[in-house]
Amino acid sequence: MSLINNHHLSTSISSSSSTFISQNNFFCIRTQNVSLPMRNNGIYKCAATPPAKKTGYKTNVSRNSNMAKLQAGYLFPEVARRKNAHLLKYPDAQVISLGIGDTTEPIPEVITSAMAKRSHGLSTIEGYTGYGAGQGEQPLRAAIASTFYSNLGIDDADVFVSDGAKCDISRLQVLFGSGVTMAVQDPSYPAYVDSSVIMGQTGQFQKDVEKYGKIEYMRCSPENGFFPDLSTVSRTDVIFFCSPNNPTGSAASRKQLTQLVQFAKKNGSIIVYDSAYAMYMSDDNPRSIFEIPGAKEVAIETASFSKYAGFTGVRLGWTVVPKELLFSDGFPVANDFNRIVTTCFNGASNIAQAGALACLSPEGLKAMHEVIGFYKENTNIIAETFNSLGFNVYGGRNAPYAWVHFPGRSSWDVFAEILEKTHVVTTPGSGFGPGGEGFIRVSAFGCRANVLEVCRRFKQLYK
Amino acid sequence: MSLINNHHLSTSISSSSSTFISQNNFFCIRTQNVSLPMRNNGIYKCAATPPAKKTGYKTNVSRNSNMAKLQAGYLFPEVARRKNAHLLKYPDAQVISLGIGDTTEPIPEVITSAMAKRSHGLSTIEGYTGYGAGQGEQPLRAAIASTFYSNLGIDDADVFVSDGAKCDISRLQVLFGSGVTMAVQDPSYPAYVDSSVIMGQTGQFQKDVEKYGKIEYMRCSPENGFFPDLSTVSRTDVIFFCSPNNPTGSAASRKQLTQLVQFAKKNGSIIVYDSAYAMYMSDDNPRSIFEIPGAKEVAIETASFSKYAGFTGVRLGWTVVPKELLFSDGFPVANDFNRIVTTCFNGASNIAQAGALACLSPEGLKAMHEVIGFYKENTNIIAETFNSLGFNVYGGRNAPYAWVHFPGRSSWDVFAEILEKTHVVTTPGSGFGPGGEGFIRVSAFGCRANVLEVCRRFKQLYK
């Protein structure tokens, strides 16, 4: 997560031109709002550096030293800041973002109608509901269990409905506390590492290796097929594992997940399995960790409707904590998670829950599959473009991300080059951990016209 | 937060009868769903006690010792469990809950229409939005700043929109970390103490005094007008302060809040001011801590639409962290809170945000005031009932709670007596801390027919 070198930025970027960007009218570019300008005299502000502000009064409360360990801003706000700085520099540029992985397609009407109906209902005596169960409404818990975990021995009561997988990851970290050790795939979705740092599970950031102390980084690279060599991985209490993976787009096979479960079982570790992209899979690999025998005794699974139904803004996810999962003293992990959910959270919005229930109706499922199919076609188009330009592209088949290799180059340099020369926002691979260095993640979340235009620009840049 | 003595429960309750409950048809009692039966052979299960379950496999992950410190369940789920047990015992009883403080009146249509419109819009290309700013949508941040903090020097950027004040309290605890000391009013809303325990800020629960170690309990009683004697309060890093107070219903005066701010300033403490009931105030006391000069350098304020617009299920709150508030090293607290919000949270549901914006329109404000006025009338009715029966009743004027004194009696005993003999759910005062012992909180959240019926039953019980 190194910040781009400012000197480099000002030299390599300012000398380039963007004249090849056409002004063709393609339809779905939306107006970009310029906000939060963070560029100041060529210096990008880093969230870890206190602004030089003078006031007369400071409290005597010490800043949480774990917060101070965090490097720069969270990755995606940092990418957004750079996009905004670019927009200030080129106010007329037709910037297209395939960066943050934000959904762009409207939510199917069968789902929005259910949310509108629930909203209207809240103004009636019959339809009004106040506090719901913090764990989620019973029919939704049941529908999630039967849709995603049929015949896997997951009960309604194992399912905790939430406002999103990212939020649940932090709640799980609060549950585990500061005393646990953790492992992550390298590269991986940054919320695992950052929330671990915040909870005090890690040491300081080591600049030479770009890793935090006490975290076990499980390298996932083309050489090992993006599955870690577990024989070299030290035992940790918690193992975060995302499949299909964000950012590499690769999905672990049944054999690999069986190895992972056996590894956890041997070590007495808890796997936090992030399956937020499971419905994007084309291969016949497991959709849930609970398809692996014995997983219920070692794994938690978290997922979300964000990338299935465009719920990134509506906010609805879930986490499965099987009753079979026990701490070393025999206490069920689910009981403590229940306590966290009822004490630190008050349930997802009832309107979002109505939407989620509609997602799982026959019509909703069909509509979700259509949205997912559309984004999968985008991924194909992007992956084939880079392939045709001679790049090695990974992912693209089981997840809405193309993971493009630029061997020997800095990810942030490539990010800056692409932004400057094509006005396209991507995500630098090194933002996902040192193992992502030399890669760029291109998200498939965009309307078709934008995706085609991006590919046209890529072809001009890298022809 | 002591659990009711089971022996006592089985003796004092089983001998009573409920024959005086009339079967008059009053309109708004709704069907009670019996779920989560926790009563088992007369023993109420306590969340802190692991179920005696035998399985073959345990992980080697130690349970977070802070979780193990927590006593019983979070108060309100515990109250709900007892209600459900009562329903199992009396399946035909017309149970009325004035316990958890859950809103019952429909949300005004001007607000639900805005949410329905936003929902429908999400199915259109023009209306679709994905990830929003984690801090909230700009127009809503601006509307909150101008509606609640006009002329108080609070900028849009100081306002962080969230899924509720309770959730923000936990996020603030994560921000502060385990190294801070904290003070709370005693009695107080239990989320402050419980989230502090979870974060590891406290010592063990001391059964003799019913307090956690390392927490400074600031006694608030009729004797001190429910404002703590600050000359006897030790310095802590963080001071949680709720006004108008839940559960006592009392609102601090301008003079008292000035004392509080001066106390914090002298000690270099940070006040977390919970103003979730500010719109219920009848007196001319401050609605916001930021009305007190200098408060921006020592205070955070959290609030919510839950009790204003019936958003307990919709989930929308906010927290103000002024840029003037600095840690001892000069680092702005708001910068770290921003990092927490973007890393551990992803913003409130966009539909709920549309509802909140409608709340702050002229029509929405008028409608909210009508809902609040209705509940305030309920509080009057309840307070006058207890007054007429010779009880000392506190609160009721500035908050939707009546705080009724039963000198010398156990709160859980009174709770059980009222539930058994009138089928009315209240909240035992001791659930809010040892300073609440001998009190019962009666919430004003109910339809008028239920409130009148409850008062009729109280009059029969305590005539």
Side-chain angles (χ1 to χ4, degrees):
Chain A
M1 276 175 278
S2 66
L3 282 174
I4 189 166
N5 179 294
N6 288 310
H7 172 71
H8 176 88
L9 190 75
S10 59
T11 52
S12 77
I13 281 181
S14 60
S15 61
S16 66
S17 86
S18 299
T19 48
F20 74 79
I21 303 293
S22 83
Q23 300 297 315
N24 291 345
N25 55 340
F26 37 94
F27 298 104
C28 59
I29 289 180
R30 299 183 196 154
T31 310
Q32 304 284 346
N33 293 315
V34 180
S35 63
L36 276 174
M38 297 300 281
R39 198 159 186 250
N40 185 7
N41 301 324
I43 295 166
Y44 284 88
K45 286 217 179 114
C46 161
T49 311
K53 177 187 267 182
K54 285 269 175 213
T55 76
Y57 182 84
K58 301 183 190 88
T59 67
N60 287 332
V61 179
S62 299
R63 185 180 179 208
N64 181 347
S65 59
N66 297 317
M67 295 299 299
K69 289 177 192 165
L70 288 167
Q71 299 301 300
Y74 183 73
L75 174 63
F76 297 115
E78 181 64 28
V79 168
R81 277 204 291 276
R82 291 175 186 239
K83 182 179 91 172
N84 289 328
H86 184 79
L87 282 163
L88 283 181
K89 189 175 170 191
Y90 300 108
D92 300 325
Q94 288 190 301
V95 171
I96 302 176
S97 178
L98 299 182
I100 187 172
D102 191 8
T103 46
T104 56
E105 295 310 292
I107 300 175
E109 207 178 335
V110 59
I111 300 163
T112 57
S113 293
M115 295 194 288
K117 191 176 167 196
R118 180 70 175 261
S119 300
H120 280 308
L122 292 172
S123 69
T124 67
I125 289 176
E126 306 73 36
Y128 181 73
T129 55
Y131 287 121
Q135 305 88 348
E137 297 175 0
Q138 177 57 27
L140 178 56
R141 298 175 85 183
I144 289 171
S146 65
T147 304
F148 296 107
Y149 307 100
S150 173
N151 300 318
L152 298 180
I154 299 297
D155 293 347
D156 313 359
D158 300 327
V159 177
F160 295 82
V161 175
S162 77
D163 59 336
K166 182 177 175 182
C167 313
D168 270 345
I169 287 162
S170 277
R171 280 187 282 266
L172 287 169
Q173 297 283 24
V174 172
L175 160 73
F176 293 132
S178 59
V180 299
T181 53
M182 69 94 96
V184 283
Q185 289 154 294
D186 176 25
S188 69
Y189 177 51
Y192 313 134
V193 166
D194 285 6
S195 60
S196 176
V197 174
I198 289 170
M199 277 307 295
Q201 298 167 0
T202 76
Q204 295 291 340
F205 188 71
Q206 299 158 353
K207 286 213 167 64
D208 51 340
V209 289
E210 304 215 323
K211 293 178 179 179
Y212 288 94
K214 289 181 63 183
I215 289 184
E216 179 74 19
Y217 290 79
M218 306 185 294
R219 180 61 68 106
C220 296
S221 62
E223 289 70 34
N224 60 21
F226 297 101
F227 186 80
D229 177 359
L230 295 174
S231 72
T232 67
V233 172
S234 299
R235 191 237 165 228
T236 58
D237 291 311
V238 181
I239 302 168
F240 283 90
F241 199 93
C242 177
S243 178
N245 187 266
N246 173 11
T248 70
S250 80
S253 69
R254 191 171 305 270
K255 191 177 159 197
Q256 289 170 330
L257 290 178
T258 302
Q259 276 177 37
L260 181 69
V261 167
Q262 287 170 347
F263 178 76
K265 209 149 207 172
K266 184 186 77 186
N267 289 321
S269 305
I270 294 175
I271 299 165
V272 177
Y273 190 80
D274 184 341
S275 65
Y277 300 97
M279 284 182 74
Y280 280 85
M281 287 172 68
S282 303
D283 294 346
D284 189 29
N285 296 324
R287 266 59 175 165
S288 164
I289 190 72
F290 300 121
E291 293 185 37
I292 308 301
K296 287 203 290 289
E297 294 174 348
V298 292
I300 289 166
E301 182 164 312
T302 187
S304 160
F305 286 99
S306 285
K307 308 300 167 77
Y308 297 170
F311 268 34
T312 41
V314 171
R315 311 301 310 142
L316 207 292
W318 70 91
T319 290
V320 178
V321 187
K323 66 190 82 52
E324 291 85 351
L325 182 67
L326 306 177
F327 286 117
S328 56
D329 64 356
F331 193 88
V333 176
N335 287 28
D336 273 351
F337 193 62
N338 188 66
R339 189 65 152 90
I340 293 285
V341 161
T342 53
T343 307
C344 305
F345 181 58
N346 240 335
S349 175
N350 46 19
I351 299 169
Q353 292 192 64
L357 196 59
C359 286
L360 301 179
S361 69
E363 304 78 18
L365 283 166
K366 185 165 172 285
M368 279 204 299
H369 278 292
E370 282 166 12
V371 172
I372 290 165
F374 173 82
Y375 289 131
K376 287 178 74 168
E377 285 173 10
N378 281 353
T379 330
N380 267 339
I381 293 167
I382 294 164
E384 280 175 16
T385 297
F386 278 104
N387 272 324
S388 73
L389 294 168
F391 289 90
N392 280 323
V393 185
Y394 304 95
R397 188 169 159 73
N398 293 310
Y401 298 116
W403 185 241
V404 188
H405 205 179
F406 290 78
R409 294 196 61 191
S410 142
S411 297
W412 278 108
D413 283 359
V414 177
F415 169 87
E417 174 181 274
I418 291 174
L419 180 58
E420 180 66 24
K421 297 195 177 169
T422 71
H423 301 315
V424 173
V425 180
T426 59
T427 308
S430 60
F432 299 96
E437 187 56 281
F439 289 86
I440 281 287
R441 189 192 78 171
V442 185
S443 126
F445 295 111
C447 65
R448 185 60 46 82
N450 275 3
V451 167
L452 292 173
E453 170 65 12
V454 162
C455 290
R456 196 188 65 73
R457 295 183 192 175
F458 283 153
K459 282 179 180 164
Q460 285 202 261
L461 178 62
Y462 293 118
K463 63 190 169 195
Chain B
M1 277 175 278
S2 67
L3 283 175
I4 189 165
N5 180 292
N6 288 310
H7 173 71
H8 176 86
L9 191 75
S10 59
T11 52
S12 75
I13 281 181
S14 59
S15 61
S16 65
S17 85
S18 297
T19 48
F20 73 80
I21 303 295
S22 83
Q23 300 297 315
N24 290 345
N25 55 340
F26 38 92
F27 298 105
C28 59
I29 288 182
R30 299 180 195 155
T31 310
Q32 303 284 346
N33 293 314
V34 180
S35 63
L36 276 175
M38 297 300 281
R39 199 161 185 248
N40 186 7
N41 302 322
I43 295 166
Y44 285 88
K45 287 220 179 108
C46 162
T49 310
K53 178 187 265 181
K54 284 271 175 208
T55 76
Y57 183 84
K58 301 184 191 87
T59 67
N60 286 332
V61 179
S62 298
R63 185 180 179 209
N64 181 346
S65 59
N66 296 317
M67 295 299 299
K69 288 177 194 165
L70 288 167
Q71 299 301 299
Y74 183 74
L75 173 63
F76 297 115
E78 181 64 26
V79 168
R81 278 204 291 277
R82 292 176 186 238
K83 181 178 90 172
N84 289 328
H86 184 78
L87 282 162
L88 283 181
K89 188 173 169 191
Y90 300 107
D92 300 325
Q94 288 191 301
V95 172
I96 302 175
S97 178
L98 299 182
I100 187 170
D102 191 8
T103 46
T104 55
E105 295 310 291
I107 300 174
E109 207 179 334
V110 60
I111 299 163
T112 58
S113 293
M115 295 195 287
K117 190 177 168 196
R118 181 69 174 261
S119 300
H120 280 307
L122 291 172
S123 69
T124 66
I125 290 176
E126 307 72 35
Y128 182 73
T129 55
Y131 287 121
Q135 305 88 347
E137 297 176 358
Q138 176 56 27
L140 178 56
R141 299 175 84 183
I144 289 170
S146 66
T147 305
F148 296 106
Y149 307 100
S150 174
N151 299 320
L152 298 180
I154 299 296
D155 293 348
D156 312 359
D158 299 328
V159 177
F160 294 82
V161 175
S162 78
D163 58 336
K166 182 177 175 182
C167 313
D168 271 345
I169 287 162
S170 277
R171 280 187 282 267
L172 287 168
Q173 298 283 24
V174 172
L175 161 73
F176 293 132
S178 59
V180 299
T181 52
M182 68 95 96
V184 282
Q185 289 154 294
D186 176 25
S188 68
Y189 177 50
Y192 314 134
V193 165
D194 284 6
S195 60
S196 176
V197 174
I198 289 171
M199 277 307 296
Q201 298 167 1
T202 76
Q204 295 291 339
F205 188 71
Q206 299 157 354
K207 285 211 167 66
D208 51 340
V209 288
E210 305 215 322
K211 295 179 178 179
Y212 289 94
K214 289 181 64 182
I215 289 183
E216 179 73 17
Y217 290 80
M218 306 184 294
R219 180 61 69 107
C220 296
S221 62
E223 289 70 35
N224 59 22
F226 297 102
F227 186 80
D229 177 1
L230 294 174
S231 72
T232 68
V233 172
S234 299
R235 189 229 168 238
T236 58
D237 291 311
V238 181
I239 302 167
F240 284 90
F241 198 93
C242 177
S243 178
N245 188 264
N246 174 10
T248 69
S250 79
S253 68
R254 190 171 305 270
K255 190 177 160 197
Q256 289 171 329
L257 291 178
T258 302
Q259 275 177 38
L260 181 70
V261 166
Q262 287 170 348
F263 178 76
K265 208 150 207 170
K266 183 187 76 184
N267 289 321
S269 305
I270 294 175
I271 299 165
V272 177
Y273 190 80
D274 185 341
S275 65
Y277 299 96
M279 284 181 75
Y280 281 84
M281 289 173 66
S282 303
D283 294 346
D284 190 29
N285 295 326
R287 267 59 175 163
S288 164
I289 189 72
F290 300 121
E291 292 184 37
I292 308 301
K296 287 202 290 288
E297 294 174 347
V298 292
I300 290 165
E301 182 164 312
T302 188
S304 161
F305 287 99
S306 285
K307 308 300 167 80
Y308 297 170
F311 268 33
T312 41
V314 171
R315 311 302 308 141
L316 208 291
W318 70 89
T319 289
V320 177
V321 188
K323 65 189 82 51
E324 291 84 352
L325 181 67
L326 306 177
F327 287 117
S328 56
D329 64 357
F331 193 87
V333 176
N335 288 27
D336 273 350
F337 193 61
N338 188 66
R339 189 64 152 90
I340 293 285
V341 161
T342 54
T343 306
C344 305
F345 181 56
N346 239 335
S349 176
N350 46 20
I351 300 169
Q353 292 191 63
L357 195 59
C359 286
L360 301 179
S361 68
E363 304 78 17
L365 282 166
K366 185 165 171 287
M368 280 204 298
H369 278 291
E370 282 166 13
V371 172
I372 290 165
F374 172 81
Y375 288 131
K376 287 178 74 167
E377 285 173 10
N378 281 353
T379 330
N380 267 338
I381 293 167
I382 294 164
E384 280 176 17
T385 297
F386 278 103
N387 272 325
S388 74
L389 294 167
F391 289 91
N392 280 324
V393 185
Y394 304 95
R397 188 170 159 73
N398 292 310
Y401 298 114
W403 185 240
V404 189
H405 206 179
F406 291 79
R409 295 198 60 192
S410 142
S411 296
W412 278 107
D413 283 359
V414 178
F415 168 86
E417 172 180 275
I418 291 174
L419 180 58
E420 179 67 22
K421 298 195 177 169
T422 71
H423 301 316
V424 172
V425 180
T426 58
T427 307
S430 60
F432 300 96
E437 187 57 281
F439 289 87
I440 282 286
R441 189 193 77 173
V442 185
S443 126
F445 296 113
C447 65
R448 185 60 46 82
N450 275 2
V451 167
L452 292 173
E453 170 63 12
V454 162
C455 290
R456 195 188 64 76
R457 295 184 192 175
F458 283 153
K459 282 178 181 165
Q460 284 203 258
L461 178 60
Y462 293 117
K463 64 189 167 194

